[in-house]
Structures are given as C-alpha cells and as structure tokens.
Amino acid sequence: STQSHGASMSGHCSWHKLQVCWEGGKDVVQQGVETRILSPPWRMFLLGDGSPTRHLKLLSGEETVVEVIDMETVDVDGDAPSIVSMIKPPLVRRQVWLKTASGKKLGYATSWWNADDCTDHLRDRSLPIWVSLTGRQTEIYRDIHAIMSGRNKHIEDGFEVQNSPLWGRYYLLWHDKQPLTLIYEVFSPALSQFLGPIHIDS
C-alpha cells in the first residue's frame, strides 16, 4: 500500500528504472571502467563522490532546480536495488527531475528514505538533497554500489532523446556511520555537450 507524503502528484506513480544492458558493480566502481566503455570525463562524473546537483550546476553554469515528480510512503519496494534493505522502514520514496534554471532536464533521480530521516533532512522538499544536507552542515559519505547503461522510454522522453542508451548509478549516502538514503540516478546524454563523448572507440 502507498500513501501520499507531502509534495506528491495525485494518484500512484511507480518509479522508473533502466532496462540494463551493461552494469558494473563495486569492483568496477573501485577499479574504474575501460575507456571504450566510458570516457575519462564521464567516468569522473559517474564514479566521483561529489554531489551531482553541484556538478550539474558547475557544468551548465545554471542553478540546478528540482522538480518533484512524486513523494510517497511505500511498504516494500521490490523493484529497488536490494541494498534498499539497509534503509530502516517505513520508507518514503522520492522521485525528481534535475533541471537547469532554464528548464532543461539533465537528470532523473529516485531516493528511498526512512520516513523520520526524510522529515528531518528534507525540510524544504523543493531543494536538491545536497543543498538540504550541506545547509545543515551534515557530513555525508557517498558509497557508490553500481553504474549501469540501459534504456527507459519515460526517462528518454523527459530528456527529449530517442534511441539513446542512458547512463546511471546508485549509491548509499551515509551519515554518522548509518545509511541515510539510497539514491538511483540517470543522466541525460545531453551532458556530452560539457563532458564530451560518452565513450572513446580505440
């Protein structure tokens, strides 16, 4: 069962995950990816431990704006990465588009939170997670578990791209030695405008 939790659209909205055609787990995250799969700038963007909203702002030169798609309490989310089990229930699932101030969608993200932690850390739900946490000087550690490439028509439509493999990742944010939230992110191929081609053929 689900229930509305704050800034939710009317009706139930499932989250959108990639139909994966390539995935690298913890070993790939730690050792890196071959250039023929992922170019160095894209590798740094996806495997780095910095804030994606901060990176999008630095790349685009515009503020990163969050458009909340849906935010609801979920009992069990079987479609989520298995490490969602590390987040103590009840769970709140939040879906957002990450956009430039001028309105271009550059990222899609779903996050899972303990309901109390969500209330505590996301007091202004229109703000990016990074802004909410750094505004309160919350120390966090980004623990990337996987990166992947795949397809999802809903996300492709949001990015206004067709027949283009999308790249994403998921990770835990840790605070005070406890997992705070699980975040699943997918990024627009339009970032090639700033990062160059996604892969370099040898």
Side-chain angles (χ1 to χ4, degrees):
S1 67
T2 63
Q3 71 183 65
S4 172
H5 193 100
S8 178
M9 290 165 51
S10 60
H12 175 68
C13 179
S14 62
W15 73 287
H16 304 284
K17 67 187 298 186
L18 293 180
Q19 294 176 308
V20 173
C21 60
W22 183 93
E23 182 167 358
K26 273 280 200 178
D27 54 336
V28 171
V29 171
Q30 290 166 0
Q31 296 170 16
V33 188
E34 296 176 56
T35 301
R36 66 180 178 82
I37 297 175
L38 207 57
S39 70
W42 276 89
R43 216 178 304 163
M44 184 176 293
F45 181 79
L46 288 169
L47 298 178
D49 59 5
S51 157
T53 50
R54 170 80 172 147
H55 286 162
L56 291 176
K57 176 183 176 181
L58 293 172
L59 289 170
S60 69
E62 297 185 50
E63 290 293 331
T64 302
V65 177
V66 166
E67 176 189 324
V68 179
I69 303 166
D70 188 70
M71 197 162 174
E72 62 186 357
T73 304
V74 292
D75 289 340
V76 177
D77 207 334
D79 284 339
S82 60
I83 54 171
V84 74
S85 63
M86 296 180 70
I87 308 297
K88 183 179 177 182
L91 298 178
V92 171
R93 184 181 64 204
R94 177 181 189 250
Q95 297 183 73
V96 302
W97 290 110
L98 302 174
K99 307 192 298 184
T100 63
S102 57
K104 187 170 182 63
K105 293 173 181 172
L106 294 179
Y108 164 84
T110 300
S111 57
W112 292 262
W113 299 75
N114 165 268
D116 290 338
D117 286 339
C118 182
T119 300
D120 189 32
H121 291 283
L122 297 184
R123 293 179 181 177
D124 183 345
R125 290 167 186 158
S126 67
L127 292 177
I129 290 171
W130 175 76
V131 174
S132 295
L133 295 178
T134 56
R136 304 181 65 209
Q137 298 181 314
T138 303
E139 289 189 21
I140 55 172
Y141 164 63
R142 195 177 310 271
D143 178 19
I144 301 172
H145 278 251
I147 64 168
M148 59 274 174
S149 177
R151 304 291 300 278
N152 181 288
K153 187 176 187 310
H154 177 86
I155 302 177
E156 289 173 43
D157 288 348
F159 291 156
E160 299 180 348
V161 298
Q162 290 183 329
N163 302 319
S164 180
L166 306 175
W167 279 87
R169 62 183 184 172
Y170 61 84
Y171 54 87
L172 290 168
L173 285 185
W174 292 75
H175 169 58
D176 201 20
K177 299 183 179 178
Q178 296 293 324
L180 179 63
T181 178
L182 166 62
I183 303 179
Y184 184 105
E185 295 168 338
V186 180
F187 297 102
S188 171
L191 289 174
S192 292
Q193 175 185 348
F194 313 111
L195 295 169
I198 292 173
H199 44 252
I200 299 171
D201 296 322
S202 55

